[in-house]
Amino acid sequence: MEALGDAVVILKRNVLRFSHQPEWLVGYTVQPIMFVLLFVYVFGGAIDLGDFPGSYVDYLLPGILVQNISFGGALTAVGLTEDLNKGLIDRFRSLPMARSAVLAGRTFADVLVNLLGIAIMLTVGLIVGFSFHSTVPQVVAGILLLLLFGYAFSWVFALIGLSTTSSETAQQFGFIIVFPLTFISSAFVPVDSMPPALQTFAEVNPFTITVDAMRALFIGTPAGDSIWQATAWSIGLTVVFAPLAVLKYRRVSAR
């Protein structure tokens, strides 16, 4: 219970930090809005959706949401790197608090930021023509799945942030890893339109699986195994990267 209380304190600290540095949130929210507008109004008319039962904005928005939620972890990478460079990690280490609380509070803060991002993106999507074709429980389940997927990538970015020497490098490494995965997926175009080699990769890409799950929960397209596989990927990534990030944090804070 003490560790949980420490994590809540760090959570409050990071939420207050967002309010004092609103430019972080502006960059996080403006980019996906630009993606939606560009893809819908510039590229949307040129993309063949095959037998997809809806407009391109219906196809696109789940993909943009998954992309945005995964990049939300970049705030963790940048924040941890800045804390390391400013000596705040050393101050935390000197306090009577659980070492895991720093990372737990940091990643929990990402959940709140991601929830804000989801609300903004859904509002923008509804304005440009997106519409739900499923029940309220399915929509809520989709939002929870998005938050779980984003939480998993917060731990991925936490490890990146603790392994780099500057916030710029942390952000660049994150984009280098995540950006290709989002584009070699079903987020923006149907997988069957890709060359065979890319199609094979895209079909097993966790981004494709999660995007397909979101379309099933938001639009009502056939889910297949996508929902439980997306859940498994999210839990699996957390199980792998959370211990690695905590181990890295202990090594860094012990220097």
Side-chain angles (χ1 to χ4, degrees):
M1 292 299 294
E2 291 182 1
L4 180 60
D6 293 339
V8 171
V9 172
I10 298 297
L11 167 64
K12 292 179 180 178
R13 177 251 179 187
N14 284 300
V15 171
L16 289 174
R17 186 177 184 179
F18 289 140
S19 65
H20 294 152
Q21 294 177 296
E23 64 273 12
W24 283 19
L25 295 179
V26 170
Y28 173 63
T29 54
V30 170
Q31 179 179 321
I33 292 174
M34 291 176 59
F35 266 108
V36 170
L37 297 179
L38 286 173
F39 272 88
V40 169
Y41 295 113
V42 178
F43 303 115
I47 297 175
D48 183 9
L49 298 179
D51 57 355
F52 179 76
S55 64
Y56 183 66
V57 67
D58 290 336
Y59 184 90
L60 174 69
L61 192 65
I64 292 289
L65 284 168
V66 173
Q67 181 196 54
N68 194 46
I69 210 80
S70 59
F71 279 125
L75 297 177
T76 285
V78 173
L80 286 173
T81 305
E82 288 189 349
D83 288 346
L84 280 170
N85 293 336
K86 293 178 180 178
L88 286 175
I89 297 298
D90 293 333
R91 297 182 186 179
F92 290 146
R93 183 165 59 89
S94 66
L95 296 174
M97 61 185 298
R99 290 191 178 184
S100 60
V102 174
L103 296 184
R106 176 68 257 186
T107 52
F108 287 155
D110 282 348
V111 174
L112 297 180
V113 174
N114 285 337
L115 188 59
L116 173 63
I118 291 171
I120 292 174
M121 292 309 304
L122 287 177
T123 301
V124 173
L126 292 172
I127 291 174
V128 299
F130 175 79
S131 58
F132 294 104
H133 299 284
S134 56
T135 64
V136 172
Q138 288 176 313
V139 173
V140 172
I143 293 174
L144 292 176
L145 180 57
L146 275 173
L147 293 175
L148 180 62
F149 192 71
Y151 184 70
F153 271 87
S154 290
W155 286 107
V156 175
F157 275 97
L159 180 59
I160 293 173
L162 293 169
S163 303
T164 53
T165 56
S166 68
S167 57
E168 293 81 6
T169 303
Q171 196 166 24
Q172 288 173 0
F173 266 101
F175 275 88
I176 289 172
I177 293 172
V178 177
F179 209 68
L181 292 175
T182 60
F183 275 88
I184 309 175
S185 73
S186 64
F188 306 111
V189 297
V191 170
D192 56 14
S193 67
M194 300 179 183
L198 290 181
Q199 183 176 339
T200 301
F201 175 81
E203 288 174 349
V204 298
N205 185 346
F207 280 85
T208 292
I209 294 170
T210 305
V211 169
D212 290 346
M214 295 309 306
R215 291 193 180 113
L217 292 169
F218 282 0
I219 310 298
T221 56
D225 296 327
S226 62
I227 295 176
W228 74 262
Q229 287 182 356
T231 304
W233 265 107
S234 300
I235 295 173
L237 288 171
T238 304
V239 169
V240 171
F241 282 94
L244 290 175
V246 171
L247 179 61
K248 184 66 177 179
Y249 175 77
R250 288 175 177 173
R251 291 178 176 174
V252 170
S253 61
R255 294 175 184 174

